Amino acid sequence: MVNGIERPLDLLNNSKGKEVLVGLKGEKQFVGTLLAFDIHINLVLDNVKEMQDHEMKRSLGLTFLRGDTIIYISPASTARKKE
Amino acid sequence: MVNGIERPLDLLNNSKGKEVLVGLKGEKQFVGTLLAFDIHINLVLDNVKEMQDHEMKRSLGLTFLRGDTIIYISPASTARKKE
Amino acid sequence: MVNGIERPLDLLNNSKGKEVLVGLKGEKQFVGTLLAFDIHINLVLDNVKEMQDHEMKRSLGLTFLRGDTIIYISPASTARKKE
Amino acid sequence: MVNGIERPLDLLNNSKGKEVLVGLKGEKQFVGTLLAFDIHINLVLDNVKEMQDHEMKRSLGLTFLRGDTIIYISPASTARKKE
Amino acid sequence: MVNGIERPLDLLNNSKGKEVLVGLKGEKQFVGTLLAFDIHINLVLDNVKEMQDHEMKRSLGLTFLRGDTIIYISPASTARKKE
Amino acid sequence: MVNGIERPLDLLNNSKGKEVLVGLKGEKQFVGTLLAFDIHINLVLDNVKEMQDHEMKRSLGLTFLRGDTIIYISPASTARKKE
Amino acid sequence: MVNGIERPLDLLNNSKGKEVLVGLKGEKQFVGTLLAFDIHINLVLDNVKEMQDHEMKRSLGLTFLRGDTIIYISPASTARKKE
């Protein structure tokens, strides 16, 4: 097992306090530090930047994100090299 | 933990009485003072302004917002500086 | 608390017998007197007018509205001045 | 209370045996006599006419309608005058 | 009560072994003999023809239809004359 | 009863080991041998071919299909002649 | 039974540690090594590549994928030859 991930939520747990990239329906992304999540995949991120097609659209600070519109969540540190 | 946020709903609890920016599906935003929320993320906001693409479309006063169409909720005070 | 609103449904309870503006998915609005609601946010309105882009499309009288397509519900009396 | 409507389903109960106008997602309407409904707002209508943009498209006789695609249900007799 | 229909599923029960017209989301219709249904409105039809805009697109034989995409189900025999 | 089908899932049970045509939302079809299904209508097919508008797009081998996007499932052997 | 697959989730279990192709709503695919899944078909993939119309769009590393937007999951090794 990579990083002791046995269930999908283990990855979210491992990513607390780290920067994550969150992909939403409709080609929108949020980048921010993951502070909290629940089983509905509702998230709280800090220092959030809203991106659309790789361009920053808005700076949002602390933000609650509803799980319903999320497609993927990826720790930013793993995007280029495997941890 | 920033502001003692352990679960996503803690951020909504901390934001009661404060101005929040609510992003909805379809590029629509509501700005208003958060008065109440429930586990379905249904909200009541006061002094609501409905925005579309950064322009104010309508002033709505007290408003019940169904959680179902909400993408994100962000306290306005955190948009530029971290609390 | 404004008007004793602690939970989102309190606003609907306070609005019974009053005119409300109901925003639906797809830029459609219904205006009418709120007679009843349930936890699914199903509503019964009386003297209903269906609006699209601020124009009246149809007069519907008594109407059952399914909660599923509702985005927001706002008491008309609060749109310009705070109660 | 108008017509003793305390909960939304009371209006459907009062409308049994009467002609109703049912608005569906996608600008489609069904007109027919309400025979039965359940808590999912599934309906059975008799003598159904399917309308699109106010034009009759098809005559369907007895029809089961899934609640899922329904936006509103309005007794036809209330469209112009309050009962 | 027409045909002893008290609950919506009674119409489906009465229509077993008969030809039904099933309207789906996206202007698609299936015509076939109703063999079975469940509470999710999943259906099995036999001798199925898939129609789009009143034209036959495909002959499918025995077919399982998921309730989720169904808008209406109407016994073909009732389309022109009331039973 | 044709083939002893009393409930919709009976058809899926009868179709195990046989080739089925699966219609998905968005004019996409999968053709393959049905190996397994569950009550959510999640399927496993073998020797899968993905079709779009009657053209083969891709060969997928063993595939898990989420029930959520499925419109219909039809045993290929019944498309032209009744079993 | 091919590979001892009796229930749909058996295929996901058999695919742990292997490369899978995941098809999402909206013509998007993710390719990566399956590390974990749950009953909602939430996945964790490693070494993820996001594809759109057969072109690589982005390298994502470790990624949590919400089951909700998934159409199919296919072990890459089965695409051309049956295991």
Side-chain angles (χ1 to χ4, degrees):
Chain A
M1 286 301 114
V2 175
N3 297 315
I5 292 168
E6 287 183 32
R7 291 158 306 178
L9 296 190
D10 291 345
L11 177 58
L12 300 189
N13 216 37
N14 291 353
S15 303
K16 275 190 176 174
K18 298 187 190 161
E19 188 168 81
V20 294
L21 172 68
V22 182
L24 302 181
K25 293 175 188 168
E27 297 304 306
K28 201 177 278 199
Q29 293 94 36
F30 279 59
V31 177
T33 308
L34 182 64
L35 296 188
F37 68 91
D38 62 24
I39 53 160
H40 307 292
I41 322 298
N42 293 322
L43 310 178
V44 172
L45 303 178
D46 199 9
N47 296 320
V48 173
K49 278 158 203 32
E50 183 187 341
M51 323 285 286
Q52 190 131 20
D53 301 313
H54 301 267
E55 253 176 79
M56 188 177 132
K57 275 191 58 177
R58 199 187 316 228
S59 179
L60 282 167
L62 264 173
T63 303
F64 173 95
L65 255 177
R66 272 187 79 240
D68 184 51
T69 51
I70 294 174
I71 298 177
Y72 65 84
I73 305 166
S74 181
S77 63
T78 72
R80 281 190 194 88
K81 53 176 179 28
K82 230 174 94 179
E83 278 192 326
Chain B
M1 286 301 113
V2 175
N3 297 316
I5 293 168
E6 287 184 32
R7 290 158 306 178
L9 296 190
D10 291 345
L11 176 58
L12 300 188
N13 216 38
N14 291 354
S15 302
K16 274 190 176 174
K18 297 187 191 163
E19 188 168 81
V20 294
L21 173 68
V22 181
L24 302 181
K25 294 174 188 169
E27 296 305 306
K28 201 177 278 200
Q29 292 95 35
F30 279 59
V31 177
T33 307
L34 182 64
L35 297 187
F37 68 91
D38 62 26
I39 53 159
H40 307 292
I41 321 299
N42 293 322
L43 310 178
V44 172
L45 303 180
D46 198 9
N47 296 319
V48 173
K49 278 159 203 35
E50 182 187 341
M51 323 285 286
Q52 189 131 20
D53 301 313
H54 301 267
E55 254 177 80
M56 188 177 131
K57 274 191 56 177
R58 201 187 315 229
S59 179
L60 283 168
L62 264 172
T63 303
F64 173 94
L65 256 177
R66 272 188 80 241
D68 184 51
T69 51
I70 294 175
I71 298 176
Y72 65 83
I73 305 166
S74 181
S77 63
T78 72
R80 282 192 192 85
K81 54 176 178 28
K82 228 175 93 178
E83 276 192 328
Chain C
M1 285 302 114
V2 175
N3 298 316
I5 293 169
E6 287 184 31
R7 291 158 305 178
L9 296 190
D10 291 346
L11 177 57
L12 300 189
N13 215 38
N14 291 354
S15 303
K16 274 190 176 175
K18 297 186 191 164
E19 188 169 79
V20 293
L21 172 69
V22 181
L24 303 181
K25 294 174 187 169
E27 295 304 308
K28 201 176 278 199
Q29 291 95 35
F30 279 59
V31 177
T33 308
L34 181 64
L35 296 188
F37 68 92
D38 62 25
I39 53 159
H40 307 291
I41 321 299
N42 294 322
L43 309 178
V44 172
L45 303 180
D46 198 9
N47 296 318
V48 173
K49 278 157 203 37
E50 183 187 341
M51 323 286 286
Q52 190 132 20
D53 301 312
H54 300 269
E55 255 176 79
M56 188 177 131
K57 275 191 56 178
R58 201 188 312 232
S59 180
L60 283 168
L62 264 172
T63 303
F64 173 95
L65 256 177
R66 272 188 80 241
D68 185 50
T69 50
I70 294 175
I71 299 176
Y72 65 83
I73 305 166
S74 181
S77 62
T78 72
R80 283 194 190 84
K81 54 176 179 26
K82 226 174 94 177
E83 270 189 343
Chain D
M1 286 300 114
V2 175
N3 298 317
I5 292 168
E6 286 183 34
R7 291 158 306 177
L9 296 190
D10 292 345
L11 177 58
L12 300 189
N13 216 37
N14 291 352
S15 302
K16 275 189 175 174
K18 298 187 191 164
E19 187 169 81
V20 294
L21 172 68
V22 181
L24 302 180
K25 294 175 189 170
E27 296 305 308
K28 200 176 279 199
Q29 291 95 35
F30 279 58
V31 177
T33 307
L34 181 65
L35 296 188
F37 68 91
D38 62 24
I39 53 159
H40 307 292
I41 321 298
N42 294 322
L43 309 179
V44 171
L45 303 180
D46 198 8
N47 296 318
V48 172
K49 278 157 202 37
E50 183 187 342
M51 322 286 286
Q52 191 131 18
D53 300 313
H54 301 268
E55 254 175 79
M56 188 178 131
K57 275 191 56 177
R58 200 187 313 231
S59 180
L60 283 167
L62 264 173
T63 303
F64 173 95
L65 255 177
R66 271 188 81 240
D68 185 50
T69 50
I70 294 175
I71 299 177
Y72 65 84
I73 305 166
S74 181
S77 63
T78 72
R80 283 193 190 85
K81 54 178 179 22
K82 228 174 94 176
E83 274 190 1
Chain E
M1 287 299 116
V2 175
N3 298 317
I5 292 167
E6 286 184 32
R7 290 158 306 177
L9 296 190
D10 291 345
L11 177 58
L12 300 189
N13 216 38
N14 291 352
S15 302
K16 275 188 176 175
K18 298 188 190 161
E19 188 169 80
V20 294
L21 172 69
V22 182
L24 302 180
K25 295 176 188 169
E27 296 304 308
K28 200 176 279 199
Q29 292 95 35
F30 279 57
V31 177
T33 307
L34 181 65
L35 296 188
F37 68 91
D38 62 23
I39 53 160
H40 306 293
I41 322 296
N42 294 322
L43 309 179
V44 172
L45 303 180
D46 198 9
N47 296 319
V48 172
K49 279 158 201 35
E50 183 188 341
M51 323 286 286
Q52 191 132 21
D53 300 314
H54 301 268
E55 254 175 80
M56 188 178 129
K57 274 191 57 177
R58 200 187 316 231
S59 180
L60 283 167
L62 264 173
T63 303
F64 173 94
L65 255 177
R66 272 187 80 240
D68 185 49
T69 50
I70 294 175
I71 299 177
Y72 65 84
I73 305 166
S74 181
S77 63
T78 72
R80 283 194 189 85
K81 53 178 181 18
K82 228 174 96 177
E83 279 191 324
Chain F
M1 285 299 116
V2 175
N3 297 317
I5 292 168
E6 287 184 32
R7 290 157 306 176
L9 295 190
D10 291 345
L11 177 58
L12 300 189
N13 216 38
N14 291 353
S15 303
K16 275 189 176 175
K18 298 187 189 159
E19 188 168 80
V20 294
L21 172 68
V22 181
L24 303 180
K25 295 176 188 169
E27 295 305 306
K28 200 177 280 199
Q29 292 94 36
F30 279 58
V31 177
T33 307
L34 182 64
L35 296 187
F37 68 91
D38 62 24
I39 53 160
H40 306 293
I41 322 297
N42 293 323
L43 310 178
V44 172
L45 303 179
D46 198 8
N47 297 319
V48 173
K49 279 159 203 32
E50 183 187 341
M51 323 285 286
Q52 190 132 19
D53 301 313
H54 301 267
E55 254 175 80
M56 189 177 129
K57 274 190 59 177
R58 199 187 316 230
S59 179
L60 284 166
L62 264 173
T63 303
F64 173 95
L65 256 177
R66 272 187 80 239
D68 185 50
T69 51
I70 293 174
I71 299 178
Y72 65 84
I73 304 166
S74 181
S77 63
T78 72
R80 282 192 191 87
K81 53 176 182 21
K82 229 175 97 178
E83 280 192 322
Chain G
M1 286 300 114
V2 175
N3 296 316
I5 292 168
E6 287 183 32
R7 290 157 307 177
L9 296 190
D10 291 345
L11 177 58
L12 301 189
N13 217 37
N14 291 353
S15 303
K16 275 190 176 174
K18 298 187 191 160
E19 189 169 80
V20 293
L21 172 68
V22 182
L24 303 180
K25 294 176 188 168
E27 296 304 306
K28 201 176 279 198
Q29 293 94 36
F30 279 58
V31 177
T33 307
L34 182 64
L35 296 188
F37 68 92
D38 62 23
I39 53 160
H40 307 293
I41 322 297
N42 294 322
L43 310 178
V44 172
L45 303 179
D46 199 8
N47 296 320
V48 173
K49 279 160 203 31
E50 182 187 342
M51 322 286 286
Q52 190 132 19
D53 301 313
H54 301 267
E55 253 176 79
M56 188 177 131
K57 274 191 59 176
R58 199 187 316 230
S59 180
L60 283 167
L62 264 173
T63 303
F64 173 95
L65 256 177
R66 272 186 81 239
D68 184 49
T69 51
I70 294 174
I71 299 177
Y72 65 84
I73 305 166
S74 181
S77 63
T78 72
R80 281 192 192 88
K81 53 176 181 23
K82 230 174 94 178
E83 279 191 323

